[in-house]
Amino acid sequence: MNTIALHTVETHFREQIAAACESGEVPGFVAGVHHAGEQIIVAHGTANLATGAPMLEDTGFLFGSVTKVLTTTLVMRQVERGRIGLDSPVVAHLPEFALAVPDAADKILVRHLLSHTNGIDADLYFPDAKGRDALKAYVDGLASGCGTLFEPGERLSYSNGGMIVAGRLLEVVTGLPFADLLARDVYAPVGMKDSSTSAEQAILRSTAVGHFPDPETGLLRPTNMFTLPETWGPAGGTPIGTVADLLAFGRTHLAGGVAPSGTRVLSAESVALMRQVSYDMDSPNVPPMGLGWVLYPFGDTTVLAMSGASPGGVSLLCVVPEHDLVFAAFGNTPGALMLQDRLLCRLLTDHLGVALPTLVTGVREDVDLTPYVGTYRSDQLRIDVSIVDGQLEERTTYEPADESQERIFTEFAGGTTSAPPQRYVPIRPGLFAPAGYPMEVFDGYLRLLLVSFHDVRDGRARYRNAGGRLTRRT
């Protein structure tokens, strides 16, 4: 892609983003591309419907789970310094770490935290603590309330809990609060000059807030909760910044660990290790996992990616090493992921010439549905799967552990925790697509909408995977 082509990208982005904002798909959206020394950033719409503040090129937003790659980068810096061992048990560095299952934490290695293969069953665990001991409070709570989904290294399941434990591990090893360490060892050397970790800091500049559809009117309304609790900082609860900041971070990984300023943030060896496959479930809906990065195969091209949900918003960071390209975006409603997927796929196909293979060819009528029927559970979540009219039907129930958990999750979900039953059609044994979607939707980032079932024994699947997260048959 040359400068002329990048100008074409900018024109296309402006048209697509403006159309999405003006149609009501999303209130505001900002996206940027860096390629071969050239960079564009495009913004349109409204950052906050309550105030009418515009979405600008330098408007800040919550990184959400994109933070997990920043947290991994912090851990790798300490690995390089010999203060953390990737293959050391977490308890060797963090003796306080324990789970509700006796001795289960002792088997978890630092590597398992970063590769989402730790098995910690805490994806919806939201302790509400603030200040210097917030992450300590999170880890302390795991011992009494959270068990395991599988043996460490045995499977892959997207793990908020693993990243938060990694954040607490960093605090103990360095003696610094996570927010201070992030500012010192990532924000500053990378040149993320507009990034912060609190609402108090974000309010001093232009910052977007999330939005949800109002259940009564259907119209979008601003979120009632800006950030998740401070206990979720390393998993994506609190870091805030701009598209330019994320592009700078992506460029650092594109350049083998050297920031745009010329400062070395990571060794080339650490950057390469983060890109290596740590676990592959060999299922289209679950891309291979590196350390921190999800390794999306788009044909023969690998896209290092992480998306980040925040209350009423979603961010996305993609690094494409083969094409010297970084893409970052944020939209302030959960449905913005659809626009991000369209822009990414168009960027790959039209401007990089990447051929996207067809992942889902059509519905299979000959698949036996009975092995997948049953009840699946993970932390505070229940999925009941049945057969209705020749399709799988899933009913999701949130089962809060206490009033505080219910309050936080309800706000994070936009005021409601119930959803209508969802039907799925079989694509092949063990793999299902949500009914009513065109099959080509799943060729891009939205392959995460597919649902898979795993480890069928005696005619019954033991695990269900949706969005990279496992639930276990009960």
Side-chain angles (χ1 to χ4, degrees):
M1 187 194 304
N2 55 32
T3 303
I4 296 175
L6 194 59
H7 176 72
T8 303
V9 171
E10 182 176 6
T11 300
H12 168 71
F13 272 27
R14 289 194 186 280
E15 293 173 351
Q16 286 285 93
I17 293 170
C21 292
E22 290 161 13
S23 70
E25 179 182 352
V26 59
F29 195 91
V30 57
V33 176
H34 185 94
H35 179 261
E38 301 290 335
Q39 184 163 299
I40 61 163
I41 298 178
V42 176
H44 194 90
T46 306
N48 185 340
L49 289 177
T51 64
M55 184 77 83
L56 305 173
E57 292 179 8
D58 65 348
T59 294
F61 52 86
L62 284 155
F63 290 160
S65 287
V66 172
T67 302
K68 290 179 172 68
V69 190
L70 279 66
T71 299
T72 302
T73 297
L74 288 173
V75 173
M76 296 305 294
R77 283 175 63 92
Q78 297 306 315
V79 170
E80 290 178 8
R81 288 155 179 76
R83 302 176 76 177
I84 293 177
L86 272 180
D87 293 308
S88 297
V90 175
V91 293
H93 303 287
L94 188 64
E96 68 198 65
F97 174 47
L99 297 169
V101 178
D103 302 323
D106 297 348
K107 305 174 187 177
I108 297 176
L109 308 181
V110 173
R111 182 185 300 275
H112 294 143
L113 301 179
L114 308 181
S115 61
H116 300 265
T117 56
N118 50 78
I120 299 171
D121 188 11
D123 209 45
L124 296 179
Y125 174 49
F126 294 102
D128 194 6
K130 300 179 183 294
R132 179 64 179 83
D133 291 331
L135 301 191
K136 183 179 186 303
Y138 182 98
V139 173
D140 288 347
L142 291 176
S144 59
C146 297
T148 59
L149 285 166
F150 50 82
E151 289 292 308
E154 180 185 82
R155 300 190 181 279
L156 171 67
S157 184
Y158 187 86
S159 177
N160 289 306
M163 281 294 168
I164 299 170
V165 172
R168 176 57 183 159
L169 169 63
L170 285 165
E171 290 187 334
V172 170
V173 167
T174 66
L176 286 176
F178 176 80
D180 293 350
L181 185 66
L182 182 64
R184 188 193 75 177
D185 284 3
V186 173
Y187 289 171
V190 169
M192 301 171 70
K193 61 184 181 63
D194 294 317
S195 290
S196 61
T197 52
S198 73
E200 290 80 4
Q201 294 168 313
I203 201 172
L204 299 177
R205 60 184 319 283
S206 173
T207 304
V209 304
H211 297 77
F212 292 100
D214 188 289
E216 294 183 2
T217 66
L219 300 175
L220 291 171
R221 59 165 181 80
T223 177
N224 293 323
M225 179 175 67
F226 178 53
T227 70
L228 284 168
E230 291 179 24
T231 53
W232 268 54
T238 55
I240 302 155
T242 64
V243 158
D245 287 342
L246 285 186
L247 290 176
F249 179 78
R251 291 170 61 189
T252 301
H253 277 266
L254 196 63
V258 178
S261 66
T263 302
R264 179 164 289 284
V265 179
L266 276 184
S267 70
E269 292 76 15
S270 291
V271 169
L273 188 59
M274 288 176 65
R275 298 179 185 178
Q276 290 180 11
V277 175
S278 293
Y279 198 97
D280 187 355
M281 289 187 67
D282 193 27
S283 184
N285 62 316
V286 188
M289 179 64 68
L291 297 179
W293 291 112
V294 183
L295 312 178
Y296 278 81
F298 285 85
D300 295 330
T301 297
T302 297
V303 175
L304 315 177
M306 182 60 76
S307 61
S310 54
V314 60
S315 64
L316 178 65
L317 175 64
C318 299
V319 175
V320 192
E322 297 166 56
H323 293 275
D324 193 24
L325 182 138
V326 183
F327 169 64
F330 171 79
N332 54 357
T333 188
L337 186 60
M338 306 289 284
L339 176 57
Q340 291 167 356
D341 179 68
R342 296 199 299 270
L343 293 176
L344 174 62
C345 288
R346 184 76 176 270
L347 188 63
L348 291 171
T349 57
D350 289 9
H351 299 287
L352 295 181
V354 174
L356 302 188
T358 300
L359 291 184
V360 177
T361 56
V363 178
R364 287 269 300 272
E365 303 292 346
D366 59 340
V367 175
D368 180 11
L369 305 183
T370 55
Y372 317 113
V373 172
T375 297
Y376 300 79
R377 275 195 168 94
S378 61
D379 177 55
Q380 303 181 66
L381 193 67
R382 169 178 170 159
I383 313 290
D384 291 295
V385 182
S386 60
I387 300 173
V388 179
D389 298 330
Q391 301 176 346
L392 285 188
E393 181 177 274
E394 294 191 346
R395 293 178 178 268
T396 301
T397 306
Y398 175 58
E399 301 175 323
D402 54 47
E403 184 178 341
S404 174
Q405 301 283 288
E406 183 174 18
R407 173 180 56 80
I408 294 169
F409 181 77
T410 300
E411 292 295 346
F412 179 59
T416 178
T417 58
S418 61
Q422 174 67 56
R423 296 280 187 91
Y424 289 88
V425 295
I427 302 304
R428 71 182 193 199
L431 184 65
F432 295 80
Y437 281 72
M439 293 299 169
E440 61 269 18
V441 165
F442 309 115
D443 294 340
Y445 202 86
L446 295 182
R447 66 189 73 181
L448 289 176
L449 297 178
L450 300 171
V451 169
S452 57
F453 294 84
H454 303 270
D455 196 5
V456 176
R457 301 183 190 179
D458 300 321
R460 290 160 39 113
R462 290 183 63 204
Y463 291 96
R464 167 191 174 273
N465 191 301
R469 294 167 166 87
L470 286 181
T471 46
R472 184 174 54 196
R473 179 189 286 274
T474 58

